[in-house]
Amino acid sequence: MDRKRLIAGTALLAVLIVLCIFGSNLIRNEWKSRQGQIGQREPLPGLGYCSSRQIRPCILSINLSPGGGMLIDILVHGSSPDFYLKIEREGSEHMYECKKEKSYSINVHCTGDIMPVGETMSFLLISSAENITLAEGSFPIIGLALATPDIAITPTPISIDRPPR
């Protein structure tokens, strides 16, 4: 009886050792496949209209500028590098100059040519310093708002007439 237990225990131990070796090889291969390799890049972030998912960068609005041209407002992360916007349409490229409101602002204004509504176009955010594509997406302009100039209105004092007593 002791001999049968010894054989069963040895067989069980051998099976456990084989399973551990096989499992550790699987884990090592999975870990190696996730490591960065030379020449390998992460996928580009998608660029689209802003939504409740709060994925950035995203296009907040597209307006017609009062001075002519088109104004595109983009939300980015505060630490994002300076970039310009390139729109590709029917084989031609249109460059848009982009400026942040303040140094660590999340709102960027891009100005350039007017594009037609409804056509699907490719939008690319390209780093100004390194000329590397930061984000891209293809979608139509779904509408253009008319941008209004900022008007400062000073309140006028209101006099309240009190009824006589």
Side-chain angles (χ1 to χ4, degrees), residues 1 14 67 88 93 101 107 114 121:
M1 187 75 158
E88 295 175 349
E93 296 178 344
E101 285 184 356
N107 196 5
I114 297 175
M121 295 172 265

Side-chain angles (χ1 to χ4, degrees), residues 74-144:
I74 301 175
L75 288 181
V76 296
H77 297 286
S79 61
S80 68
D82 291 337
F83 60 86
Y84 63 92
L85 174 67
K86 180 168 71 172
I87 298 178
E88 295 175 349
R89 174 182 172 257
E90 295 179 352
S92 62
E93 296 178 344
H94 302 270
M95 304 298 181
Y96 289 72
E97 182 183 351
C98 299
K99 294 181 181 176
K100 288 185 179 181
E101 285 184 356
K102 296 174 186 154
S103 60
Y104 276 92
S105 176
I106 61 169
N107 196 5
V108 178
H109 303 292
C110 301
T111 55
D113 299 332
I114 297 175
M115 293 288 129
V117 175
E119 278 185 36
T120 299
M121 295 172 265
S122 293
F123 292 74
L124 295 102
L125 295 183
I126 301 173
S127 167
S128 298
E130 299 165 346
N131 209 28
I132 296 173
T133 304
L134 302 172
E136 67 180 340
S138 293
F139 49 91
I141 296 175
I142 55 176
L144 294 173

